[in-house]
Amino acid sequence: MNNIKFSIINSNLTTPTPEEIEVNNKDYVLFGSDNKYPEVLLNCYNDCGILSSIINSITDYVSAGGTDIEDFAVNKDETLNELIKKITLDYIIFGAFTIQLLRNKKGEICEIHYVDVNKCRLSKDNKFVYYSSKGWDRYTRNVAKYDRFNKNLNSNNSIMYYKNAKSSRTTYALPIWNSALKDILTLIDITNFHYSSLNNNFMPSCSISFNNGVPSEEEQEIIEQRIKEKFCGTDNASKFLLSFSDNKDNAPVIERIAYDDFADRYNSLRENAINNIFATFRASEKLFGINETNNGFSTEEFKSIFLLFKTQVIQPIQIEIERAFGQIGIDFMLNEFVIDFEDSDNEVNNDHNKIGF
């Protein structure tokens, strides 16, 4: 038998899931197997250009018009409009937002502060909110505990955890785009793969053969590690097959399985992922400046698409935010983002509160 050793360098992909786990020695519910599922959502927002473009645009559509309450201060550093922009972004990324409510001696809410919902976990009985400024994992300790706001609770210091209505059956909220998580991760992986391949000196499926004898097991591992450190990028997009043999005559025969339609497969995979992402938002890519077919579209078509999107997506989010603040006695209406289609520059018309076509 020829004295040959093979080693292959690769990575396995696992898809995070929004598990809700109760642990005996913790009062709060873990979110995800490692208690970091919200970070998965945040990383998707940060790493996927298409997703961030959609979320940022929806945030503007929902909150850029401000409220019908002028210069309403929620704390000494922030107005209501500024606070709403922050919580709107969280609401779309995570499906929930959190705010801290402080009361004065009369029992009146005197200050409202933004709280990063990514850093919050809920108690098993849903009566308390746990906050960790340093983030979460399964072993996080020394966290702050607050009453969870409800309109019948007169707490001096509480946190409202408001989640979308579609998450009523679960402890934690999920964003409307969560069903497209695999598609988003696919786009991120496609980008990382090509970026890493360009930065690596090895193209995928590279074979390296040493034909001057077989070193010891320890030496083989050292050689393998040095090659990996030298030529593979941080994401290890490029794989290589490493073999050791006594001489060239005993070297392995490597045949690469090539796909003639690789470009078509890539384009189809990317297109399908993008379509699924937009479908979860019930949106058209044309609303966000993306036109994969490059066939153009008219102003009338844009108006029709936007009206439908406004009714199905923008207004429901505005209603949810208005309802949440109504629970703490702050009643307002969110002004709708106005597009003047008569203006060739499509500037926002600040003289109107509603979209008018």
Side-chain angles (χ1 to χ4, degrees):
M1 179 182 292
N2 293 333
N3 191 6
I4 300 175
K5 177 183 178 180
F6 293 96
S7 298
I8 187 166
I9 296 176
N10 200 353
S11 60
N12 294 320
L13 178 66
T14 57
T15 303
T17 56
E19 302 175 72
E20 295 183 353
I21 303 172
E22 294 188 6
V23 181
N24 290 334
N25 63 342
K26 298 184 185 298
D27 181 50
Y28 55 82
V29 180
L30 276 61
F31 196 8
S33 59
D34 57 358
N35 201 18
K36 290 185 175 183
Y37 192 76
E39 288 189 22
V40 173
L41 303 177
L42 183 60
N43 289 337
C44 286
Y45 167 74
N46 289 328
D47 296 340
C48 180
I50 288 179
L51 179 66
S52 62
S53 176
I54 296 172
I55 290 176
N56 290 340
S57 295
I58 295 176
T59 300
D60 287 339
Y61 286 145
V62 170
S63 64
T67 69
D68 57 358
I69 303 177
E70 296 292 337
D71 300 324
F72 182 85
V74 292
N75 57 64
K76 64 180 182 179
D77 300 317
E78 200 167 33
T79 66
L80 177 62
N81 287 341
E82 291 169 337
L83 176 65
I84 287 175
K85 289 181 181 179
K86 294 179 181 179
I87 66 172
T88 299
L89 182 61
D90 278 5
Y91 188 76
I92 302 170
I93 294 176
F94 302 105
F97 66 82
T98 46
I99 50 177
Q100 183 183 25
L101 307 170
L102 303 179
R103 296 180 184 271
N104 56 27
K105 293 181 179 180
K106 296 180 180 180
E108 302 167 334
I109 294 176
C110 57
E111 290 187 34
I112 306 174
H113 295 270
Y114 166 80
V115 178
D116 186 352
V117 69
N118 180 33
K119 297 180 179 179
C120 294
R121 296 294 183 270
L122 297 176
S123 64
K124 296 173 183 177
D125 60 8
N126 281 310
K127 293 181 179 180
F128 300 97
V129 177
Y130 288 85
Y131 177 82
S132 174
S133 60
K134 297 182 180 179
W136 292 89
D137 58 33
R138 291 183 65 94
Y139 311 102
T140 299
R141 296 180 179 179
N142 301 321
V143 298
K145 182 180 180 181
Y146 297 88
D147 291 321
R148 182 180 180 182
F149 170 83
N150 71 67
K151 59 185 179 181
N152 298 319
L153 178 68
N154 190 22
S155 174
N156 293 332
N157 188 353
S158 63
I159 289 181
M160 170 185 278
Y161 179 95
Y162 191 90
K163 59 183 181 179
N164 59 48
K166 294 183 179 180
S167 300
S168 60
R169 296 182 180 179
T170 58
T171 299
Y172 297 110
L174 291 174
I176 60 175
W177 52 270
N178 190 75
S179 60
L181 181 64
K182 289 183 179 180
D183 297 287
I184 292 164
L185 293 175
T186 296
L187 290 184
I188 294 173
D189 285 340
I190 287 174
T191 301
N192 287 340
F193 176 82
H194 288 289
Y195 177 79
S196 297
S197 294
L198 289 172
N199 281 277
N200 290 339
N201 287 338
F202 289 104
M203 292 302 291
S205 302
C206 177
S207 174
I208 308 169
S209 296
F210 293 90
N211 302 314
N212 56 347
V214 181
S216 66
E217 293 282 336
E218 181 179 356
E219 289 174 322
Q220 290 182 32
E221 292 177 0
I222 291 174
I223 293 171
E224 179 180 312
Q225 184 61 31
R226 286 181 178 176
I227 292 175
K228 181 179 179 181
E229 292 174 352
K230 180 77 174 178
F231 298 105
C232 287
T234 56
D235 286 331
N236 290 329
S238 295
K239 300 180 290 184
F240 61 84
L241 182 65
L242 186 63
S243 68
F244 298 93
S245 58
D246 293 319
N247 52 62
K248 190 173 182 179
D249 293 334
N250 292 326
V253 176
I254 307 296
E255 293 184 0
R256 179 180 178 184
I257 301 176
Y259 293 98
D260 295 333
D261 61 344
F262 179 79
D264 292 336
R265 287 169 178 248
Y266 163 77
N267 290 332
S268 177
L269 180 64
R270 179 177 180 276
E271 182 179 353
N272 183 67
I274 291 174
N275 289 338
N276 288 341
I277 293 170
F278 278 103
T280 62
F281 284 98
R282 290 179 290 179
S284 167
E285 60 192 32
K286 296 176 181 179
L287 285 174
F288 306 94
I290 302 171
N291 188 12
E292 293 285 328
T293 57
N294 295 318
N295 58 2
F297 58 96
S298 66
T299 301
E300 289 300 319
E301 182 181 359
F302 182 88
K303 288 164 61 176
S304 176
I305 293 172
F306 187 84
L307 275 172
L308 182 62
F309 184 68
K310 180 188 73 171
T311 304
Q312 292 186 337
V313 179
I314 300 172
Q315 289 179 338
I317 295 176
Q318 290 179 321
I319 291 171
E320 286 293 313
I321 294 174
E322 292 167 358
R323 180 181 294 129
F325 278 84
Q327 293 180 12
I328 60 177
I330 301 178
D331 296 315
F332 61 81
M333 289 190 63
L334 279 166
N335 299 325
E336 295 185 13
F337 189 83
V338 179
I339 299 177
D340 186 357
F341 289 101
E342 301 301 323
D343 190 332
S344 59
D345 294 327
N346 284 342
E347 295 179 349
V348 176
N349 184 345
N350 293 320
D351 296 331
H352 299 82
N353 287 335
K354 301 294 180 181
I355 295 177
F357 300 133

